Amino acid sequence: DKMGVRFTGVMAGAIMVVGASVKFWAISTTFEHGATAFGITSLPIWGEFTISAQVGYAAIGFAIFAVGVEIAGITVSKVIVKWFKGYEMAMAMGVQMAIARIGTALAMAAPVPLATAFGSPSEPLLSAPLAFGLILMIIGLISFFAFNVMDRKLDKSVADAGETVEEEAFRLSDLVLIIKNKGFWLIALLCVLFYSSVFPFLKYAADLMVNKYGVSPSTAGLIPAILPFGTLFLTPFFGGLYDKKGKGATIMIIGSAMLIGVHSLFSVPFLDHWSIAVLLVLILGIAFSLVPAAMWPSVPKIIPEKQLGSAYSLIFWIQNWGLMGVPFLIGVVLDKYCITGQVTVEGLTRNTYDYTIPMMIFTGFGILAIFVAIALKAEDKKKGYGLELPNMTQD
């Protein structure tokens, strides 16, 4: 907010390139036995658990990279608002999210084929996927430099047209204004509740397919994989719908209600045919497209543009608490209350689980989300944010 999107984007891209480079170096380097990490032979993590020099350096590289990722996400959101406010802003955000889903799918699908292609099935070259990622990051940084040229031209054309409106510069005290904004907290709570009902569910979804629906472990991941691919097309579509027709708060209520329906049906013990799981994942994919398509473009209607970067970063920060805590909660519940027995497959013994209670927990998050979405709609009616109005105000 203080330095602008051009400086911040380059900084974020550079941080990611540095982090990816450190991790590539760590994985591609052969460390001698006993090599030190940070001046010691091994790095203590928890109790007697330690990590080697190679893992320590790789972890540091990944941590550096992750800092850049969060900054980049915030910067991209503010860029889209700057370029598309008054036009197809929700569709632009939907397209951006769809492209990000392609990146996620590529990150899950590409590493093993790349490692085996440059090595062998018995000795995969683990640094190959990291080299591929590093190359992509360098391309991304170069692309952002190209964007900077375009962004300067936009500023110049706006100034030449006499359309610039001098806005008061961002100050740190603006953070207090954000925190005092009730609409901000409702959006942030909706975000953490909604995403905590989806991403942690996906972490356990393959195991759910095996334990409840009898799907083979080798193909169990295919059913949950339907969800991110469905969002590639639906998120831009729903974003475009919001741009033209409005009803953003209503869309968030509908999406939250769909969450409740999906997770409550997942919790019913006798609905255990795999076709039902496919149908529920498809409906969850629609909900996962609906809510983000309306939620992220609604933030600029609640928060002034000069504070947007800070607002998005606070929302991401709150969201990450949920994405950290909810998988841990579900894991504790599964281990404490849901073990039904053990099975041995190819010499490996694993627990079997009843997922009724975890699905009821996810249903609870959906119920809370719909209450928050209703409260947000009421706040919009009171404050006049315009969440129910179309985003397109200009031709």
Side-chain angles (χ1 to χ4, degrees):
D1 284 329
K2 203 164 184 66
M3 301 300 295
V5 293
R6 294 194 288 264
F7 171 85
T8 311
V10 170
M11 181 185 72
I15 289 172
M16 286 188 282
V17 168
V18 169
S21 300
V22 171
K23 185 159 187 176
F24 171 72
W25 166 78
I27 299 301
S28 61
T29 303
T30 302
F31 287 84
E32 295 181 7
H33 180 69
T36 61
F38 321 114
I40 53 178
T41 303
S42 58
L43 186 66
I45 298 297
W46 185 271
E48 297 181 355
F49 179 65
T50 61
I51 58 175
S52 67
Q54 186 176 47
V55 176
Y57 289 125
I60 291 296
F62 189 59
I64 295 170
F65 173 81
V67 172
V69 167
E70 290 289 354
I71 300 170
I74 295 161
T75 305
V76 167
S77 297
K78 189 158 182 176
V79 164
I80 291 174
V81 173
K82 178 182 178 180
W83 277 66
F84 291 94
K85 192 171 185 178
Y87 300 93
E88 298 91 345
M89 183 172 65
M91 178 181 284
M93 286 191 173
V95 171
Q96 181 263 321
M97 283 186 274
I99 294 171
R101 298 285 178 265
I102 295 174
T104 302
L106 194 62
M108 291 188 292
V112 173
L114 283 171
T116 53
F118 287 90
S120 66
S122 58
E123 292 186 14
L125 183 62
L126 300 182
S127 60
L130 293 169
F132 177 62
L134 177 57
I135 291 168
L136 289 181
M137 282 315 314
I138 293 171
I139 294 171
L141 181 57
I142 294 170
S143 299
F144 201 83
F145 278 115
F147 161 79
N148 280 357
V149 174
M150 298 165 64
D151 195 58
R152 285 193 184 93
K153 288 182 178 179
L154 173 67
D155 287 349
K156 186 176 184 302
S157 64
V158 170
D160 291 345
E163 298 175 5
T164 49
V165 177
E166 287 296 325
E167 189 178 53
E168 188 181 352
F170 173 82
R171 296 172 298 179
L172 288 176
S173 58
D174 288 337
L175 292 173
V176 178
L177 298 177
I178 296 172
I179 293 170
K180 286 182 177 180
N181 189 323
K182 185 179 177 181
F184 162 79
W185 281 107
L186 290 172
I187 279 280
L189 284 173
L190 180 61
C191 175
V192 71
L193 289 168
F194 180 80
Y195 280 100
S196 293
S197 301
V198 178
F199 285 125
F201 165 77
L202 289 176
K203 290 179 183 291
Y204 291 97
D207 196 52
L208 169 69
M209 300 305 150
V210 173
N211 282 276
K212 181 175 180 179
Y213 297 99
V215 180
S216 167
S218 61
T219 58
L222 296 178
I223 296 176
I226 296 170
L227 189 146
F229 283 106
T231 61
L232 293 179
F233 308 100
L234 291 177
T235 308
F237 171 75
F238 289 132
L241 196 65
Y242 181 25
D243 285 327
K244 295 174 183 176
K245 304 296 183 181
K247 304 297 181 184
T250 303
I251 288 173
M252 288 183 265
I253 293 172
I254 294 170
S256 300
M258 293 173 73
L259 271 185
I260 298 170
V262 168
H263 288 309
S264 60
L265 290 174
F266 268 128
S267 69
V268 178
F270 60 83
L271 297 177
D272 57 0
H273 194 272
W274 65 268
S275 60
I276 294 174
V278 172
L279 177 62
L280 292 178
V281 170
L282 286 171
I283 297 172
L284 183 61
I286 296 172
F288 191 45
S289 302
L290 268 173
V291 174
M295 181 169 60
W296 296 118
S298 294
V299 177
K301 294 184 174 184
I302 297 172
I303 302 294
E305 190 170 338
K306 68 168 183 171
Q307 301 169 358
L308 267 182
S310 300
Y312 277 124
S313 67
L314 286 169
I315 291 172
F316 289 172
W317 181 76
I318 294 167
Q319 172 188 303
N320 283 333
W321 279 103
L323 297 182
M324 178 184 70
V326 173
F328 177 77
L329 170 65
I330 298 299
V332 169
V333 169
L334 282 170
D335 285 340
K336 200 164 186 179
Y337 303 107
C338 304
I339 296 176
T340 57
Q342 289 186 325
V343 295
T344 302
V345 179
E346 296 179 357
L348 296 175
T349 301
R350 63 174 179 83
N351 293 330
T352 56
Y353 298 96
D354 179 356
Y355 272 85
T356 301
I357 297 177
M359 292 303 107
M360 291 175 67
I361 292 173
F362 287 129
T363 303
F365 288 140
I367 293 170
L368 291 173
I370 200 168
F371 279 116
V372 172
I374 292 170
L376 180 62
K377 186 173 182 178
E379 185 71 7
D380 173 54
K381 190 174 181 180
K382 179 181 176 183
K383 297 287 181 64
Y385 292 130
L387 302 185
E388 294 289 275
L389 299 176
N391 293 318
M392 293 181 66
T393 60
Q394 304 180 55
D395 295 328

